[in-house]
């Protein structure tokens, strides 16, 4: 099948080419992010392969459909960037990678917790400059602290497991508590979690209910000096409210792998450009904020699984057999 692969990076090419061995799809790699302006690049391609910051709104989908695209193969688990009702109206199939390495994301969330707690990212620079002062590097024992996990799916439960290993107490909030949760995971109401957790970590998807879940009233409910970690989706946090929380000291440490306006920033080298997102730049001025550019998924195991499942989805769509991890507005396979 001919597939236009948008937002391609060199590593995508390496892993997809390897996964495609034996399948024989014609993969055409495009650097461009998918938008209404770049959609014409996919003219004549039966399939489009897209990543998290590609835009698949109604306008883009109609442009793709008019030029023959019938399959959207997402290289991600999340599909909040796709107008699903529009794909159904147009009769397009959307496939995703339901799970590639929940360990990768959970472990990165833990890396943010550890770095922020002991300020290793500041220590690294200091030591290189011959500054061995410890002022400003004071951490706290994780042992005995309370961790609030919002969203106990695949990633949230692994994160809970690891933090429990440090000796933390685990509180969780999820409208659909998991039967796989271990006995030490105590499900509580969201406001209790907010009020008792020393560390709050977000592992829920972006939905109308979780859009700006962390707003100013949620911040107000949190413990003074709380550590807030987001490896879920940027819009789960109202960045303005969190900046106010940092300014007042309510939020003591903030670790982000995702940001609500990240599609204009992440996955590209902007070091020679002026960044015009003042809100993002304000975040980078805080000494107690650690931001990574949506890299939590970025392990060799995850990239292998993403590529293998994406190619298998394309083959299943084309042949009508095998497992197609289809996303539908009302049903997820
Ligand atoms: P999952 O589907 O296994 O789990 C999501 C959980 O969130 C489910 O248990 C669900 O019931 C729960 N949930 C739904 N609505 C909720 C709400 N209003 N409040 C609290 N919980 C709610 O998904 P997963 O594989 O664990 O991934 C979680 C999220 O992590 C994804 O949706 C995606 O946005 C994000 N993610 C980020 C990266 C990254 O690189 N940073 C990579 C993969 C996934």
């Amino acid at each position: 099948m001919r597939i236009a692969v948008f937002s391609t990076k060199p590593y995508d090419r390496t892993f997809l080419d390897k996964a495609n061995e034996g399948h024989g799809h014609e993969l055409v790699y495009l650097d461009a992010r998918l938008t209404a302006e770049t959609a014409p690049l996919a003219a004549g391609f039966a399939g489009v392969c897209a990543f998290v910051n590609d835009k698949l709104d109604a306008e883009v989908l109609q442009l793709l459909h008019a030029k023959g695209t019938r399959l959207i193969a997402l290289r991600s688990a999340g599909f909040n960037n796709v107008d699903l009702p529009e794909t159904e109206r147009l009769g397009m199939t959307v496939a995703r990678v339901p799970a590639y390495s929940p360990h990768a994301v959970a472990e990165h969330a833990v890396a943010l917790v550890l770095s922020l707690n002991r300020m290793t990212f500041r220590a690294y620079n200091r030591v290189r400059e011959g500054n061995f002062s410890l002022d400003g590097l004071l951490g706290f024992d994780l042992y005995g602290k309370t961790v609030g996990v919002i969203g106990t799916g695949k990633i949230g439960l692994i994160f809970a497991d690891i933090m429990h290993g440090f000796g933390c107490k685990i509180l969780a909030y999820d409208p659909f508590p998991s039967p796989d949760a271990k006995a030490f995971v105590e499900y509580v109401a969201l406001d209790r979690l907010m009020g008792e957790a020393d560390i709050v970590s977000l592992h829920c998807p972006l939905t109308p209910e979780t859009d700006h879940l962390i707003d100013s009233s949620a911040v107000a409910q949190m413990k003074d000096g709380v550590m807030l970690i987001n490896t879920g989706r940027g819009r789960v946090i109202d960045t303005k409210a969190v900046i106010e929380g940092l300014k007042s000291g309510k939020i003591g440490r903030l670790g982000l792998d995702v940001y609500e306006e990240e599609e204009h920033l992440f996955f590209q080298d902007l070091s020679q450009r002026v960044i015009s997102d003042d809100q993002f730049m304000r975040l980078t001025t805080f000494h107690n904020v650690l931001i990574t550019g949506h890299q939590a998924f970025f392990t060799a195991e995850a990239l292998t699984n993403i590529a293998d499942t994406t190619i298998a989805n394309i083959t299943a769509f084309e042949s009508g057999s095998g497992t197609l991890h289809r996303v539908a507005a009302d049903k997820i396979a």
Side-chain angles (χ1 to χ4, degrees):
M1 202 168 159
R2 287 189 80 222
I3 308 288
V5 185
F6 280 87
S7 299
T8 310
K9 302 293 175 200
Y11 45 82
D12 294 313
R13 199 181 277 250
T14 306
F15 284 89
L16 283 170
D17 280 348
K18 178 136 187 34
N20 195 29
E21 283 169 13
H23 287 263
H25 299 297
E26 186 189 335
L27 306 178
V28 175
Y29 294 110
L30 304 164
D31 294 344
R33 183 166 84 87
L34 177 57
T35 62
E37 289 69 42
T38 61
L41 294 171
F45 285 81
V48 155
C49 183
F51 197 46
V52 288
N53 289 330
D54 288 315
K55 197 173 180 183
L56 292 138
D57 60 7
E59 183 188 8
V60 170
L61 291 167
Q62 286 161 19
L63 288 168
L64 294 174
H65 184 265
K67 296 290 179 187
T69 300
R70 294 294 178 266
L71 171 68
I72 307 292
L74 298 172
R75 306 197 292 284
S76 59
F79 45 84
N80 52 281
N81 52 336
V82 185
D83 183 336
L84 287 179
E86 187 63 15
T87 59
E88 288 195 357
R89 201 186 64 74
L90 293 167
M92 296 170 94
T93 297
V94 182
R96 66 172 185 144
V97 183
Y100 39 89
S101 173
H103 295 279
V105 183
E107 288 170 13
H108 189 76
V110 175
L112 292 175
V113 170
L114 294 173
S115 308
L116 275 165
N117 181 20
R118 310 303 288 267
M119 296 284 170
T120 45
F121 55 105
R122 301 187 73 200
Y124 171 82
N125 287 324
R126 281 192 193 185
V127 169
R128 286 166 73 92
E129 289 174 8
N131 175 358
F132 304 102
S133 156
L134 299 183
D135 284 340
L137 303 183
L138 188 66
F140 55 85
D141 285 7
L142 287 171
Y143 180 83
K145 294 298 182 297
T146 300
V147 174
V149 182
I150 299 184
T152 55
K154 293 175 284 297
I155 297 169
L157 284 184
I158 294 170
F159 175 79
D161 254 5
I162 301 172
M163 297 311 293
H164 183 251
F166 283 116
C168 297
K169 174 180 173 183
I170 309 294
L171 297 181
Y173 170 75
D174 193 313
F176 307 100
S178 171
D180 299 330
K182 305 233 174 87
F184 59 75
V185 175
E186 186 186 347
Y187 282 101
V188 295
L190 189 56
D191 50 359
R192 185 175 151 207
L193 180 152
M194 295 293 190
E196 292 185 20
D198 300 291
I199 298 170
V200 174
S201 194
L202 304 172
H203 300 287
C204 52
L206 177 62
T207 64
E209 292 74 41
T210 63
D211 195 335
H212 283 189
L213 180 72
I214 306 299
D215 57 8
S216 49
S217 66
V219 171
Q221 285 181 338
M222 292 181 192
K223 267 177 130 167
D224 290 345
V226 67
M227 183 193 293
L228 176 63
I229 303 290
N230 189 9
T231 57
R233 281 289 180 265
R235 279 192 60 88
V236 177
I237 280 183
D238 174 353
T239 311
K240 248 192 215 142
V242 162
I243 287 174
E244 287 311 311
L246 285 160
K247 283 161 76 175
S248 70
K250 184 77 178 171
I251 296 176
R253 296 162 207 256
L254 174 68
L256 300 180
D257 186 54
V258 287
Y259 167 63
E260 53 182 322
E261 303 293 335
E262 70 176 51
E263 63 270 25
H264 307 295
L265 299 170
F266 289 0
F267 306 122
Q268 33 184 345
D269 179 0
L270 301 180
S271 56
Q272 306 303 318
R273 303 236 205 113
V274 173
I275 293 176
S276 55
D277 184 333
D278 292 343
Q279 188 171 256
F280 182 81
M281 294 315 285
R282 180 67 179 104
L283 277 177
T284 66
T285 65
F286 293 97
H287 73 280
N288 49 355
V289 173
L290 176 53
I291 307 175
T292 53
H294 208 137
Q295 73 171 82
F297 73 99
F298 199 58
T299 66
E301 289 80 0
L303 290 192
T304 302
N305 290 337
I306 288 171
D308 287 350
T309 307
T310 300
I311 296 294
N313 278 335
I314 295 167
T315 299
F317 175 79
E318 189 182 33
S319 67
S321 64
T323 306
L324 175 67
H325 297 284
R326 193 175 176 163
V327 191
D330 59 341
K331 151 169 91 62
I332 301 167

